[in-house]
Amino acid sequence: MTLHQEPSEGSASEPTLTSFVPAPPRSTICAPHAIFDVEAVSQALSDAWSDASDAAAIRTATVAVLNEANINGRAVIEASIKQAPSNARPAVASYAWLTDCLVTSVLFTAMTKLHPNPHPSEGERIAVLAVGGYGRGEMSPYSDVDLLFLAPFKINGWIESVVESMLYIFWDMHLKVGHATRTIKDCIRLGREDFTIRTSMLEIRYLAGNEDLANELDAKLRDELFKGTAREFIEAKLEERSERHRKQGGQRYMVEPNVKEGKGGLRDLQSMFWIAKYVHGVRRTADLVKAGVFTADEYRQFEEAETFLHATRNAMHLIADRAMDQLTFDLQVEVAEFLGFIDHTGRRAVEHFMQAYFRHATRVGELTRIFITTLEDMHVKQEPALQRFFKRKRKVAHGFYVERGRLNFLSEEEFLSDTLNILRLFEQALRTGYLIHPDAMRCISANLDKIDNTMRESPEAQRIFLDLLLKNGNPERALRRMNELGVLGAFIPEFQVIVAMMQFNMYHSYTVDEHTIQVISNLAQIERGELEEELPVASNILENGVNRRVLYVALLLHDIGKGRKEDHSILGAQISRKVAPRLGLKPAECETVEWLIRYHLLMSDVAQKRDLSDPRTVRDFAKAVKTRERLDLLTVLTVCDIRGVGPNVWNNWKAVLLRNLHAQTAHALEHGLEAVNREAREGEAKKALRTALTDWTQSAIRAELQRHYGPYWQGLPTSAHVIFASLLKEIKNDQISIVITPDEDRDATRTCFALADHPGIFSRLAGALALVGANVVDARTYTTKDGYATAVFWIQDNDGHPFEQSRLPRLRQMIEKTLKGEVVARDALVSRDKIKKRESQFRVPTSISFDNDGSEIFTIIEVDTRDRAGLLYDLTRALADNHISIATAQIATYGEQVVDSFYVKDMFGMKLHSESKQASLERKLRDAITQGAQRAKDS
């Protein structure tokens, strides 16, 4: 507890403000008198009080003077921070000292002007203490002011009056004050009952008032509350930490992390200090080294992480102009700029900033792990029961031993004499299930430079590393620990570039390295048989046998080319030429790994962006993969990759598309590409419909089979053919027939329309669906020979699921109103198109391409741009206005980005071969995108 000279209560001289205000901290971000000029404020208060006739006037005058001092002080600190934003420690100390000055000035006013008591009794003593982060002397621009008003025996009338007057002044100053008025006995009693209160008692700091009272509390806390209760306090704090992490998402790599409460955030650092203070009695973080908690290097890392996190939080508060701890997407961009990060090497400043953030968060996690294990070694924290169980069960190799459930080496000198022992340690830990001892972690972190090319190219190193991937069934555990300690980046230097690399978009939930580990974890889960029901095709492929070495290495390296200007698939394939042989793969295996990395997005792109009912799609994909082996490997890789993007990315829709593509391609590779043709599909579809229409007459069936053109039979499943046959059977020219049914296989709602054909029908249907919040994932429109439009849209709600049954009547009603012209989609969609503030900083350049080779009879227009609710309506309306008919549309969404692929013909039923026509249409589509986005922005 920091103390300063208390004004003498029995002194004949009048107490002064200078005697109340604490001395400034050792390091402030600018001159202390520029932050708060004590003499000037004292004179201003004196002048203001001279005109005050009563208590209310004194309070009003005090508020005016201190408000001005507060505004000036904050402006000076903010200006200094902007000049040196990384100088965070002096900044948080400066905000705390400014607050000290304000609080003690208010106490001075209350004790000398509002409630003077020159000769207080023993019970009329009061001390004001700072609590929590404020007590620690660390405040961000908009941190709360937490105060403890301390009384000796009971809260008497004079103390109540002083506290009440102070609080009124604080509230009039609009300070956010948390406060408690307690006796010393109250503090001890409540501290025993509540660990949150006990923690706050750890960080009390005397500000002003009766110093003896504050000293008495300090002594009693040590002797009556803290002494002998370390174990229960630590267990409570660690349980609180686990619960806090769970609430924040449980991941260190949350894309919008909470800088204060999240995993690897400030609260984790503070929890370590609280525990060390409780156990060792340390006063400052620098004492953690003397207490044996950290080495000097670890403390340096602790300080660096804390400084970075404080700098980030300061920037967040100043930019938001309020208390803010959630580092949202829009704030990330502004904070990166505030802290001086710039765009370079093909990556945005925000991505460099977030990579730095996650690297510090990772190190905080390692420091926490070391700290907790050190406590276990001191027998302060109870060793986990699981480790005690393992300790009795597993034997370790020569040179290693188990210490309190943690794997360690017998001799550091012997351990470091053979660099391969670093890999052997992870091998032993994975095999036995033991965690690694902090001493071993420290040794490894300090000796990463010993991992050199000689070690990397050693056949034994290659064997151990591949065994970590291929044996024991949980490679992600070893990889994650190796990555956090820096071993993975040292053993594969090319991997270091992607460590903690954030991809600034709404699609990827993890950093690139964590995504890679998640992908490998998915593969291990499939191999363990845990996903047979969810992933039958991938599970079957692995059960039948593939080259696991190729698959695991390809997954490990598939995104290793990210973070540069070049296409990461091409660059990653080039990097794999060096890395795969170094990991011990044979030339043929290296070639397959290179191919898989080069084309690791191909299957996902084809499945989601192309019409799988078009025979050309399957033939072209089969030509690209060439062999069944590559098809199977690419299928498993694609499934694991998509599932590793984030918790809600994989769904049945993607699963059905990939299964369909795999099955069709496997058939083409087995029976020949010529087996994939329109005529065969049309014949099979007609035969299936004839079988399904059991209650129809033969003449009615013949009429239905002759009613449609070829693409209709190839593009829809039999269940849709049955619905349309029923809708068209007795349809009238002015009738709009709609059938909305769940398509459980595809995890979507299928909406079928039958109505008289007219230009722009696709656009109007898309607009109607957008108005009810439906996201179209696939759509097909056909025209019958007698002039009716048959259209089917597969839609999902905003969470990527089928629409609930209760929402279907409104869906139908809105569609009917739009098609009848009662609702104008263009006007009604404006408010829905507005982009949320947190999503406003994403850059999604628009790209439009025309492909006349991907389909035999259609031109494929692919539009890659920023997603919004009315985009599909705007695009399809622009196509309709230019007399382009749409046969199918595939919509692939990647967070804020969307790729809309349209299979189209011109008004004469021909492909769009003319370059001038393509250029003109591209301009119209770009105009539609720009104008729609502008309408949304202006709304």
Side-chain angles (χ1 to χ4, degrees):
M1 194 160 56
T2 304
L3 305 174
H4 67 269
Q5 185 61 43
E6 177 195 5
S8 173
E9 294 174 0
S11 173
S13 61
E14 190 76 18
T16 64
L17 180 62
T18 305
S19 66
F20 272 73
V21 172
R26 285 175 294 180
S27 178
T28 52
I29 199 164
C30 57
H33 72 269
I35 297 171
F36 190 92
D37 189 331
V38 181
E39 294 296 337
V41 172
S42 178
Q43 186 61 53
L45 285 172
S46 180
D47 293 344
W49 291 338
S50 64
D51 296 329
S53 58
D54 55 23
I58 291 173
R59 197 165 67 220
T60 301
T62 302
V63 169
V65 171
L66 294 184
N67 263 343
E68 184 179 355
N70 187 27
I71 291 168
N72 291 340
R74 287 181 172 277
V76 168
I77 297 172
E78 182 174 346
S80 300
I81 289 175
K82 287 178 177 177
Q83 289 179 353
S86 297
N87 201 13
R89 284 177 174 272
V92 295
S94 297
Y95 278 117
W97 186 67
L98 173 60
T99 307
D100 290 351
C101 296
L102 296 171
V103 170
T104 52
S105 296
V106 173
L107 178 65
F108 173 70
T109 303
M111 290 183 66
T112 63
K113 289 295 175 186
L114 297 175
H115 309 285
N117 189 1
H119 304 291
S121 66
E122 186 70 12
E124 292 176 327
R125 292 179 297 157
I126 186 171
V128 179
L129 298 96
V131 178
Y134 177 35
R136 213 166 37 247
E138 297 173 354
M139 293 188 80
S140 292
Y142 289 94
S143 293
D144 292 351
V145 181
D146 293 322
L147 296 172
L148 171 63
F149 298 104
L150 185 65
F153 315 124
K154 69 173 185 175
I155 315 299
N156 57 41
W158 179 77
I159 291 174
E160 284 182 341
S161 297
V162 169
V163 171
E164 182 179 21
S165 292
M166 290 183 69
L167 290 176
Y168 275 124
I169 294 175
F170 291 144
W171 294 332
D172 288 346
M173 292 175 65
H174 304 292
L175 293 181
K176 192 175 179 183
V177 176
H179 62 93
T181 306
R182 296 180 183 135
T183 64
I184 292 175
K185 191 175 181 181
D186 290 337
C187 292
I188 302 300
R189 175 178 57 81
L190 293 170
R192 287 197 184 107
E193 296 171 357
D194 189 318
F195 281 105
T196 301
I197 294 176
R198 193 185 304 191
T199 304
S200 70
M201 292 292 103
L202 267 176
E203 299 199 292
I204 55 174
R205 178 169 60 91
Y206 169 71
L207 295 176
N210 190 283
E211 182 179 345
D212 291 339
L213 196 59
N215 286 334
E216 184 182 350
L217 174 63
D218 193 37
K220 289 198 173 183
L221 286 173
R222 285 198 310 270
D223 296 340
E224 298 181 22
L225 183 60
F226 302 156
K227 191 175 180 180
T229 60
R231 174 172 288 182
E232 67 178 39
F233 178 79
I234 291 166
E235 295 290 350
K237 286 290 108 182
L238 295 180
E239 176 61 31
E240 179 186 288
R241 171 178 172 268
S242 298
E243 178 63 16
R244 174 165 44 81
H245 288 172
R246 187 190 65 77
K247 287 181 179 178
Q248 292 297 324
Q251 289 282 346
R252 188 172 296 119
Y253 302 115
M254 298 297 291
V255 288
E256 293 182 291
N258 188 302
V259 174
K260 183 180 178 182
E261 304 288 350
K263 199 168 188 178
L266 279 166
R267 188 66 83 206
D268 281 357
L269 290 170
Q270 291 159 2
S271 295
M272 283 190 272
F273 181 61
W274 291 334
I275 292 171
K277 194 168 187 178
Y278 205 102
V279 174
H280 302 292
V282 299
R283 295 286 183 175
R284 298 177 301 120
T285 56
D287 297 334
L288 294 171
V289 178
K290 295 177 187 175
V293 175
F294 290 139
T295 65
D297 187 55
E298 287 163 352
Y299 174 65
R300 176 186 57 78
Q301 293 167 349
F302 180 102
E303 270 203 313
E304 287 175 356
E306 188 175 48
T307 298
F308 181 87
L309 291 170
H310 274 309
T312 299
R313 191 168 184 238
N314 287 343
M316 292 166 66
H317 280 214
L318 292 174
I319 291 166
D321 199 27
R322 62 185 175 88
M324 185 71 175
D325 293 321
Q326 198 78 36
L327 193 50
T328 55
F329 289 127
D330 56 313
L331 263 182
Q332 289 170 18
V333 174
E334 295 184 74
V335 171
E337 182 182 357
F338 190 99
L339 296 180
F341 287 85
I342 59 172
D343 296 358
H344 65 90
T345 59
R347 297 173 63 208
R348 295 179 64 180
V350 63
E351 293 174 318
H352 292 290
F353 160 63
M354 291 305 295
Q355 184 168 26
Y357 177 90
F358 288 126
R359 281 181 168 164
H360 282 297
T362 299
R363 195 57 191 141
V364 169
E366 281 306 303
L367 291 172
T368 304
R369 192 175 289 114
I370 289 169
F371 179 76
I372 292 171
T373 314
T374 302
L375 291 174
E376 288 175 1
D377 289 344
M378 295 176 178
H379 304 270
V380 174
K381 178 182 178 295
Q382 184 69 32
E383 181 187 346
L386 185 60
Q387 270 109 66
R388 297 200 302 274
F389 173 77
F390 274 134
K391 186 165 61 178
R392 296 193 298 269
K393 297 285 287 184
R394 298 280 187 174
K395 291 183 178 180
V396 296
H398 174 72
F400 298 98
Y401 77 107
V402 178
E403 181 180 351
R404 291 185 60 79
R406 306 273 178 163
L407 185 65
N408 205 349
F409 44 73
L410 291 168
S411 163
E412 182 172 332
E413 183 180 354
E414 183 180 338
F415 179 77
L416 292 176
S417 66
D418 183 357
T419 315
L420 289 172
N421 284 330
I422 294 176
L423 290 181
R424 291 188 181 113
L425 178 69
F426 291 100
E427 183 182 41
Q428 288 295 307
L430 187 61
R431 182 183 64 80
T432 61
Y434 289 120
L435 299 176
I436 297 174
H437 195 279
D439 290 346
M441 293 185 201
R442 286 167 167 155
C443 177
I444 290 170
S445 295
N447 290 278
L448 291 175
D449 59 332
K450 294 185 181 297
I451 300 177
D452 55 15
N453 285 334
T454 302
M455 186 265 214
R456 294 182 191 107
E457 293 169 4
S458 159
E460 179 64 5
Q462 296 165 357
R463 180 199 66 76
I464 296 172
F465 185 77
L466 286 177
D467 282 354
L468 289 171
L469 291 178
L470 301 172
K471 293 186 177 180
N472 301 298
N474 54 345
E476 70 279 5
R477 184 168 177 266
L479 289 175
R480 185 169 284 113
R481 183 53 49 83
M482 290 173 73
N483 189 37
E484 290 174 345
L485 289 175
V487 175
L488 192 54
F491 186 67
I492 305 175
E494 297 84 353
F495 193 88
Q496 185 60 37
V497 179
I498 63 171
V499 171
M501 179 185 287
M502 183 246 200
Q503 301 167 88
F504 189 65
N505 56 53
M506 291 174 62
Y507 182 58
H508 293 92
S509 296
Y510 308 113
T511 54
V512 180
D513 56 332
E514 178 62 20
H515 162 70
T516 300
I517 294 170
Q518 293 280 348
V519 166
I520 288 174
S521 175
N522 282 321
L523 177 56
Q525 280 185 279
I526 300 171
E527 286 197 313
R528 293 194 297 265
E530 296 173 9
L531 301 172
E532 284 186 14
E533 284 190 24
E534 193 173 347
L535 305 174
V537 174
S539 297
N540 187 57
I541 289 170
L542 293 179
E543 191 176 328
N544 290 337
V546 294
N547 188 321
R548 298 176 66 239
R549 287 156 54 99
V550 165
L551 192 51
Y552 271 100
V553 171
L555 287 174
L556 180 67
L557 304 180
H558 79 284
D559 274 347
I560 205 165
K562 282 196 169 179
R564 288 83 151 186
K565 293 179 181 178
E566 301 89 342
D567 183 318
H568 82 279
S569 299
I570 297 172
L571 185 58
Q574 294 169 353
I575 292 172
S576 75
R577 293 175 197 165
K578 299 178 182 178
V579 179
R582 208 165 64 221
L583 294 179
L585 268 61
K586 298 172 184 176
E589 293 175 323
C590 293
E591 184 182 340
T592 304
V593 166
E594 181 183 344
W595 183 88
L596 286 169
I597 295 171
R598 172 64 184 88
Y599 295 106
H600 75 270
L601 297 176
L602 176 64
M603 190 171 193
S604 174
D605 284 347
V606 171
Q608 296 185 73
K609 300 177 187 177
R610 291 294 178 264
D611 181 3
L612 301 186
S613 69
D614 190 321
R616 177 68 69 85
T617 300
V618 176
R619 287 203 299 268
D620 288 350
F621 181 67
K623 288 176 184 176
V625 298
K626 291 184 173 64
T627 67
R628 178 61 186 263
E629 178 195 17
R630 284 187 172 180
L631 172 64
D632 288 346
L633 288 169
L634 185 58
T635 300
V636 176
L637 184 151
T638 302
V639 169
C640 294
D641 190 16
I642 295 175
R643 287 175 62 87
V645 168
N648 300 312
V649 174
W650 179 261
N651 56 30
N652 280 349
W653 178 261
K654 293 183 177 75
V656 167
L657 292 175
L658 290 173
R659 287 174 201 157
N660 189 358
L661 181 56
H662 178 272
Q664 291 191 61
T665 308
H667 180 80
L669 291 171
E670 183 178 350
H671 297 94
L673 301 184
E674 62 278 0
V676 184
N677 60 73
R678 293 181 178 275
E679 291 73 18
R681 290 187 175 184
E682 183 175 339
E684 291 168 3
K686 288 181 176 180
K687 183 178 178 181
L689 180 61
R690 186 185 292 275
T691 303
L693 299 178
T694 53
D695 55 343
W696 282 45
T697 65
Q698 287 301 311
S699 61
I701 292 175
R702 278 196 301 273
E704 175 61 23
L705 295 179
Q706 293 170 6
R707 192 171 204 167
H708 305 278
Y709 295 102
Y712 172 85
W713 299 108
Q714 300 144 20
L716 294 175
T718 302
S719 58
H721 288 151
V722 171
I723 290 172
F724 282 123
S726 175
L727 293 178
L728 292 168
K729 194 173 185 182
E730 297 178 357
I731 192 168
K732 298 179 176 61
N733 284 335
D734 59 348
Q735 183 179 346
I736 301 173
S737 297
I738 306 171
V739 172
I740 304 174
T741 55
D743 191 334
E744 294 178 1
D745 287 341
R746 300 195 183 198
D747 207 20
T749 298
R750 184 172 62 194
T751 309
C752 295
F753 305 90
L755 66 163
D757 192 21
H758 57 270
I761 188 66
F762 194 111
S763 178
R764 293 176 68 182
L765 292 173
L769 294 169
L771 285 174
V772 289
N775 294 317
V776 178
V777 291
D778 195 355
R780 298 163 189 277
T781 59
Y782 306 98
T783 303
T784 65
K785 294 175 182 178
D786 54 347
Y788 287 97
T790 52
V792 57
F793 285 72
W794 281 270
I795 57 177
Q796 295 176 330
D797 63 18
N798 286 328
D799 296 321
H801 300 304
F803 273 73
E804 294 179 3
Q805 198 69 28
S806 60
R807 295 181 65 186
L808 296 186
R810 180 171 179 267
L811 181 67
R812 176 188 292 273
Q813 184 183 38
M814 181 58 71
I815 292 168
E816 290 174 347
K817 283 184 176 181
T818 305
L819 293 178
K820 292 175 181 176
E822 296 175 15
V823 175
V824 180
R826 179 179 178 178
D827 298 335
L829 281 170
V830 170
S831 61
R832 288 185 173 272
D833 267 346
K834 194 171 182 66
I835 294 172
K836 298 175 183 175
K837 184 176 183 293
R838 65 179 281 267
E839 301 170 10
S840 61
Q841 294 288 353
F842 295 117
R843 298 178 190 166
V844 184
T846 295
S847 171
I848 299 175
S849 64
F850 294 79
D851 177 9
N852 280 308
D853 298 322
S855 173
E856 293 173 349
I857 59 176
F858 297 105
T859 294
I860 304 170
I861 303 176
E862 186 173 285
V863 182
D864 186 339
T865 191
R866 176 66 183 261
D867 194 19
R868 54 185 172 80
L871 177 67
L872 184 62
Y873 169 73
D874 286 343
L875 293 175
T876 52
R877 186 166 53 83
L879 292 172
D881 289 346
N882 286 272
H883 311 293
I884 303 296
S885 62
I886 304 168
T888 69
Q890 276 70 42
I891 293 87
T893 305
Y894 307 91
E896 75 284 0
Q897 178 186 4
V898 67
V899 180
D900 290 350
S901 302
F902 302 101
Y903 282 64
V904 305
K905 291 180 179 180
D906 65 15
M907 62 189 299
F908 303 109
M910 305 294 289
K911 288 186 177 183
L912 311 181
H913 286 291
S914 167
E915 291 185 6
S916 61
K917 191 167 187 177
Q918 289 181 9
S920 173
L921 187 56
E922 179 175 346
R923 284 195 301 273
K924 300 288 180 56
L925 289 170
R926 286 184 180 275
D927 287 345
I929 293 169
T930 304
Q931 291 166 12
Q934 190 61 48
R935 284 198 309 274
K937 189 176 181 181
D938 294 340
S939 64

